[in-house]
Amino acid sequence: QKEVEQNSGPLSVPEGAIASLNCTYSDRGSQSFFWYRQYSGKSPELIMSIYSNGDKEDGRFTAQLNKASQYVSLLIRDSQPSDSATYLCAVNGGGDEKLTFGTGTRLTIIP
Amino acid sequence: DVKVTQSSRYLVKRTGEKVFLECVQDMDHENMFWYRQDPGLGLRLIYFSYDVKMKEKGDIPEGYSVSREKKERFSLILESASTNQTSMYLCASSFLTGTYEQYFGPGTRLTVT
């Protein structure tokens, strides 16, 4: 059973600070990793994809992947109230087209 | 711009009714997926399809069936709706090979009474 684990939160971060979200996965053969943002009552929106070890930056977002330790993280710099949402980590094992999702971390940015 | 649409945002049905949820994508994606999302349980895969008329069971297919007659359209069918199928239903699509990035539709909040 492939598993993706996230701390459910809530994680509260002051406006302007760095929010750090973490995710661990059980399948060592996993190849592709994704972060989705989901506002309350809305559907998940893809915000970051990462495929190789290291950091990938896109604006205020940085995804970090460490395959040896089987974790992936998302950093949000200069956090804004509009970043308040649930963040889902998703992993593709490489053997098929499916993604395994974590249950999400609820992030609240405090003005 | 990627576009996945779902037939209804909100739906209320009675126990025992046959329910059709439809999803359409305009990105020429080969793969299409149906999930349900429940508090504390996350996203669970019901069925997916990697080609027209092809389907594979996901983690929770019981009580559901699917139909894919055209590449852009994937339907989820609840043969006889039950109250435990009250949930948010999400459709997603992706290319067959490459990035595995999935793009979601807006979701259908289904209530079965």
Side-chain angles (χ1 to χ4, degrees):
Chain A
Q1 179 86 3
K2 300 175 184 177
E3 293 184 348
V4 176
E5 300 284 343
Q6 295 181 254
N7 189 323
S8 61
L11 176 65
S12 296
V13 173
E15 184 175 356
I18 296 175
S20 178
L21 304 164
N22 299 312
C23 170
T24 59
Y25 59 94
S26 62
D27 184 1
R28 189 168 286 278
S30 296
Q31 302 288 323
S32 309
F33 307 85
F34 308 93
W35 284 99
Y36 288 81
R37 178 178 62 200
Q38 186 173 25
Y39 293 115
S40 181
K42 303 294 186 182
S43 62
E45 173 193 8
L46 180 65
I47 56 171
M48 289 290 283
S49 307
I50 187 166
Y51 304 96
S52 55
N53 277 329
D55 295 0
K56 178 182 177 183
E57 188 174 316
D58 184 1
R60 295 187 297 110
F61 297 98
T62 299
Q64 299 176 316
L65 175 61
N66 184 323
K67 288 186 178 180
S69 299
Q70 294 177 242
Y71 83 78
V72 57
S73 61
L74 179 71
L75 301 179
I76 307 174
R77 289 183 302 281
D78 188 25
S79 297
Q80 303 296 310
S82 59
D83 296 325
S84 296
T86 296
Y87 289 80
L88 304 175
C89 174
V91 175
N92 173 268
D96 57 32
E97 310 298 318
K98 294 182 283 188
L99 297 182
T100 300
F101 287 83
T103 53
T105 298
R106 187 155 57 94
L107 174 66
T108 301
I109 306 301
I110 304 167
Chain B
D1 198 21
V2 297
K3 191 78 170 180
V4 181
T5 58
Q6 295 184 229
S7 48
S8 306
R9 289 301 310 274
Y10 300 95
L11 207 53
V12 179
K13 295 292 182 181
R14 293 194 181 276
T15 301
E17 280 193 84
K18 191 168 187 176
V19 182
F20 294 87
L21 303 181
E22 193 167 74
C23 174
V24 177
Q25 51 93 6
D26 67 356
M27 297 168 285
D28 203 33
H29 284 167
E30 293 85 1
N31 297 326
M32 296 187 75
F33 305 83
W34 275 107
Y35 296 89
R36 64 178 282 177
Q37 186 175 33
D38 302 287
L41 297 177
L43 278 160
R44 294 182 290 168
L45 181 65
I46 304 171
Y47 268 98
F48 78 101
S49 168
Y50 53 90
D51 200 355
V52 174
K53 297 192 184 296
M54 304 302 290
K55 61 185 180 185
E56 286 200 21
K57 293 180 180 179
D59 300 319
I60 51 163
E62 298 79 16
Y64 304 94
S65 62
V66 290
S67 172
R68 190 158 180 210
E69 298 296 320
K70 293 185 178 181
K71 187 176 184 179
E72 67 272 17
R73 197 177 297 266
F74 191 34
S75 299
L76 179 70
I77 302 153
L78 286 66
E79 297 289 344
S80 177
S82 63
T83 55
N84 63 12
Q85 292 179 309
T86 292
S87 185
M88 169 72 96
Y89 288 88
L90 292 158
C91 174
S93 67
S94 71
F95 285 115
L96 182 64
T97 57
T99 64
Y100 303 107
E101 294 177 348
Q102 290 186 17
Y103 297 91
F104 284 85
T108 296
R109 172 75 63 184
L110 173 68
T111 302
V112 182
T113 61

